Amino acid sequence: MECSLFKVIMFLLLVLGIVNTLVHGQGTSVGFYSSTCSQAESIVKSTVASHVNSDSTVAPGLLRMHFHDCFVQGCDGSVLVSGSSTERTAFPNLGLRGYEVIDDAKTQLETACPGVVSCADILALAARDSVVLSGGLSWQVPTGRRDGRVSQASDVNNLPAPTDSVDVQKQKFAAKGLNTQDLVTLVGGHTIGTTACQFFSNRLRNFTTNGAADPSIDPSFLSQLQTLCPQNSGATNRVALDNGSQNKFDNSYYANLRNGHGILQSDQALWNDDSTKTFVQRYLGLRGLLGLTFNVEFGRSMVKMGNIGVKTGTEGEIRKKCSAFN
């Protein structure tokens, strides 16, 4: 009898362990610093708030930086390292911003709890706080990541690109353990922020063989974009990724895709492909489909993304400065 009870208890513990891994990811957990640095999350939150309050464009910068970090070498803070030929110097990362926010938070944390909180965790927390400060819902961020010891520009080639087809996007996300819903949800992060004309100007002129623009762009919107991005100039001009709502974290990004107002070719493609269009419609509550709440699902997908290739336990290191290896 005692043996059977022991087996039942061990089975339940195994199931709980599996559930914990699925919810929190391998080696990370919510409240990881509760006993070693209880003020860690509040320090990051107040630091992010201070910077975003003085410059709202920092919020999308931090969100994007976390994404770019996780898709290369996993979520290990490798994008934060400065120096020649690091990830930070690769072309897709040249527009990233918010490094000073992470450095600021790290400086404060090193004073409060030296050598405890990783740069990778600071970035994951800062991304969540940026969304909340932009009007999105909060979510619990599992922490416990450690910082990587490798940062190479040559590893950045597999980042999703603005000209990727839906099939290519799905392949890149699937390679990281993310499904089609995660893809549509996480790209919805484009509801805040801007992009440079050089990343979508190919759509505005000579897109087709007869020299016309991308036919998926709403004609009236096309003229606006052509004005914002003049031919042969203005490559670095900035354009809102979510036309009309670039500072508010909401689902209007998806309405823009429906209306042919998507900015990046890879974004607009989500409306023109049946496998992704379904999720866009659900976030818009269209055609009686089972509704999905974008703000809620975004947090769930961020937790999944935030556990890509994490280093935990004795792997990696806890950097003293986020911009340099120890």
Side-chain angles (χ1 to χ4, degrees):
M1 185 70 176
E2 287 182 1
C3 182
S4 297
L5 181 61
F6 176 76
K7 288 180 178 178
V8 170
I9 292 172
M10 292 305 292
F11 174 74
L12 289 173
L13 287 173
L14 175 64
V15 170
L16 286 171
I18 292 172
V19 170
N20 185 64
T21 298
L22 289 173
V23 172
H24 300 302
Q26 188 63 47
T28 61
S29 59
V30 172
F32 180 83
Y33 297 110
S34 58
S35 60
T36 55
C37 188
S38 59
Q39 64 270 56
E41 294 200 24
S42 62
I43 288 175
V44 174
K45 182 178 180 179
S46 62
T47 305
V48 173
S50 173
H51 285 268
V52 170
N53 287 339
S54 61
D55 181 1
S56 62
T57 65
V58 168
L62 291 168
L63 177 58
R64 226 140 282 157
M65 192 189 294
H66 181 43
F67 182 94
H68 283 224
D69 181 39
C70 291
F71 262 74
V72 182
Q73 296 284 348
C75 311
D76 65 350
S78 52
V79 74
L80 300 169
V81 178
S82 61
S84 62
S85 301
T86 58
E87 287 177 33
R88 196 162 163 169
T89 66
F91 180 71
N93 288 336
L94 294 179
L96 292 180
R97 41 198 315 268
Y99 295 104
E100 70 285 356
V101 183
I102 305 302
D103 291 340
D104 187 357
K106 180 62 172 173
T107 299
Q108 295 181 54
L109 286 165
E110 283 301 297
T111 299
C113 322
V116 174
V117 183
S118 69
C119 299
D121 277 344
I122 294 172
L123 183 51
L125 292 167
R128 185 269 311 274
D129 296 335
S130 295
V131 168
V132 175
L133 287 164
S134 302
L137 293 181
S138 186
W139 66 88
Q140 290 190 311
V141 177
T143 45
R145 301 166 188 78
R146 287 170 66 85
D147 299 318
R149 293 193 177 101
V150 177
S151 182
Q152 300 175 151
S154 56
D155 291 331
V156 178
N157 297 331
N158 66 341
L159 268 176
T163 56
D164 282 349
S165 66
V166 167
D167 284 343
V168 170
Q169 291 183 74
K170 288 198 293 188
Q171 289 166 13
K172 289 181 177 180
F173 275 72
K176 303 299 180 184
L178 301 170
N179 59 32
T180 303
Q181 180 177 324
D182 294 318
L183 161 63
V184 177
T185 305
L186 291 169
V187 174
H190 287 167
T191 179
I192 53 174
T194 62
T195 189
C197 289
Q198 62 187 327
F199 294 116
F200 65 92
S201 57
N202 65 303
R203 304 180 65 207
L204 307 183
R205 304 166 185 90
N206 302 315
F207 184 81
T208 64
T209 52
N210 65 357
D214 184 343
S216 66
I217 304 176
D218 171 55
S220 62
F221 188 52
L222 173 63
S223 60
Q224 292 180 45
L225 293 179
Q226 289 174 332
T227 300
L228 291 168
C229 304
Q231 193 167 17
N232 302 321
S233 66
T236 58
N237 290 359
R238 308 292 299 184
V239 174
L241 283 162
D242 184 358
N243 181 49
S245 182
Q246 72 183 73
N247 295 318
K248 184 170 175 53
F249 202 91
D250 55 22
N251 71 342
S252 65
Y253 162 82
Y254 298 107
N256 277 324
L257 300 187
R258 176 191 60 199
N259 298 331
H261 290 191
I263 300 299
L264 302 180
Q265 186 177 333
S266 54
D267 284 3
Q268 189 58 52
L270 300 178
W271 179 258
N272 301 325
D273 184 286
D274 288 341
S275 67
T276 48
K277 182 177 182 177
T278 298
F279 292 105
V280 176
Q281 289 177 318
R282 285 179 177 179
Y283 285 138
L284 290 172
L286 299 178
R287 297 186 181 177
L289 291 166
L290 177 65
L292 289 172
T293 305
F294 169 57
N295 268 304
V296 173
E297 298 301 327
F298 189 80
R300 290 178 183 169
S301 289
M302 283 291 284
V303 170
K304 284 180 69 174
M305 185 193 78
N307 276 305
I308 294 173
V310 292
K311 294 165 179 64
T312 58
T314 57
E315 299 174 300
E317 62 185 15
I318 303 297
R319 280 184 225 139
K320 294 180 177 67
K321 283 183 62 179
C322 292
S323 59
F325 302 121
N326 289 344

